[in-house]
Amino acid sequence: MLVYPSGVDVSSSALRFLTQQLRRHRRTIGSRWRRLSAGRQALLTLAHLRVGHTYAQLAAGFGVGTTTAYRYVAETVELLATLAPSLADAVRTASVKAYLILDGTLLPIDRIAADRPFYSGKHKRHGMNVQVIADPFGRLLWASPAMPGAIHDIRAAREHGIFDALADAGIKCWADKGYRGADGTVRIPYWGRWETLSTGQKAANRSHAKIRALGEQAIATLKSWRLLRKLRCSTTRITSLVQAVLTLHLTSSE
């Protein structure tokens, strides 16, 4: 395999943060010697998450075995996932916001037609459902654990306890029609065919759509980590990957 220098469009603050966490982790577990330093292990993981390089490509680029590359990435991802904010943490952070934006997205996965639990009828493809909460400016605040793509947004939000958490905190939330029937402080557009809505309802729906459009920025932020655009790993690892990306994004945006 040919090897050449490349770049990773991640801030240096994210690399420093991850390197510090790995050094602390190595001291905690008493790791004496590694093929790569903490800084190189951090860079290897960032290249995997941000660019989507395979383990074979990472192994060639960093001069280690494929198994070693996999083990280093898995270790770092699990470490980052433990640092991700919980829904309660995100709600406390958002308590000073005027409102929040809730939306769901599908992370495509590599599955066969027989895997019906992962098939999203809405998106016509296999994937994992992730709920995303953004602030009024479209900045990513929280991403939920991944659930099979066949699960609808409103059911996913209920199972994660999003509606109850927002209602308890008294935070208003804007969401699309996929959350019809949501309880508490969630606001969705007026339901019905466009020609049957009144002038006031049409105006309200236009305003609602402008607010919700900013939520797409949070989803785009999540998927700017290219590994999440097409996942080829076990579905049991996807939640950890999403939480690792969330931790890195929040760290680099502080």
Side-chain angles (χ1 to χ4, degrees):
M1 183 178 294
L2 299 176
V3 180
Y4 68 95
S6 183
V8 182
D9 55 339
V10 178
S11 68
S12 58
S13 62
L15 179 61
R16 289 194 300 269
F17 166 79
L18 186 50
T19 301
Q20 291 170 358
Q21 294 299 322
L22 284 171
R23 286 173 180 162
R24 186 178 296 115
H25 173 69
R26 290 184 179 188
R27 287 195 299 269
T28 300
I29 65 175
S31 180
R32 296 183 178 180
W33 182 86
R34 297 286 185 97
R35 287 292 304 275
L36 297 180
S37 65
R40 295 289 286 173
Q41 182 178 350
L43 184 59
L44 180 144
T45 304
L46 290 176
H48 179 64
L49 296 175
R50 187 68 174 186
V51 188
H53 285 164
T54 64
Y55 297 118
Q57 291 171 321
L58 294 171
F62 286 82
V64 297
T66 304
T67 302
T68 300
Y70 172 84
R71 182 162 46 84
Y72 280 1
V73 169
E75 178 185 41
T76 311
V77 166
E78 290 302 322
L79 177 62
L80 286 170
T82 61
L83 301 174
S86 65
L87 176 59
D89 295 331
V91 170
R92 280 195 297 271
T93 301
S95 60
V96 296
K97 310 290 184 182
Y99 58 87
L100 296 177
I101 304 170
L102 172 64
D103 202 356
T105 187
L106 188 81
L107 302 181
I109 61 174
D110 188 14
R111 282 293 180 274
I112 61 176
D115 294 325
R116 299 302 299 177
F118 301 98
Y119 185 78
S120 169
K122 175 182 177 181
H123 297 88
K124 308 300 182 186
R125 67 189 307 175
H126 294 83
M128 299 292 284
N129 181 303
V130 173
Q131 298 296 299
V132 174
I133 293 178
D135 70 6
F137 299 98
R139 292 176 296 213
L140 177 63
L141 295 179
W142 181 76
S144 74
M147 302 183 73
I151 296 178
H152 294 288
D153 284 340
I154 187 169
R155 177 185 165 190
R158 280 177 174 155
E159 293 197 14
H160 294 311
I162 295 175
F163 300 147
D164 291 338
L166 295 176
D168 291 343
I171 302 175
K172 294 182 180 179
C173 178
W174 266 244
D176 61 31
K177 293 180 180 179
Y179 297 89
R180 185 186 183 192
D183 307 317
T185 57
V186 177
R187 301 291 181 265
I188 66 169
Y190 285 102
W191 190 266
R193 297 176 63 86
W194 183 256
E195 58 271 15
T196 64
L197 298 178
S198 67
T199 302
Q201 289 173 332
K202 291 178 180 179
N205 279 7
R206 290 193 190 97
S207 177
H208 201 287
K210 290 179 181 179
I211 293 174
R212 293 197 332 270
L214 294 173
E216 295 295 332
Q217 296 181 18
I219 293 176
T221 297
L222 194 65
K223 292 186 176 181
S224 66
W225 297 79
R226 298 176 186 86
L227 183 70
L228 299 183
R229 297 179 187 176
K230 182 65 173 180
L231 290 155
R232 294 177 174 84
C233 61
S234 168
T235 55
T236 59
R237 296 187 59 230
I238 294 178
T239 291
S240 294
L241 290 170
V242 171
Q243 292 175 335
V245 166
L246 177 64
T247 299
L248 288 170
H249 167 71
L250 295 177
T251 299
S252 59
S253 61
E254 288 179 354

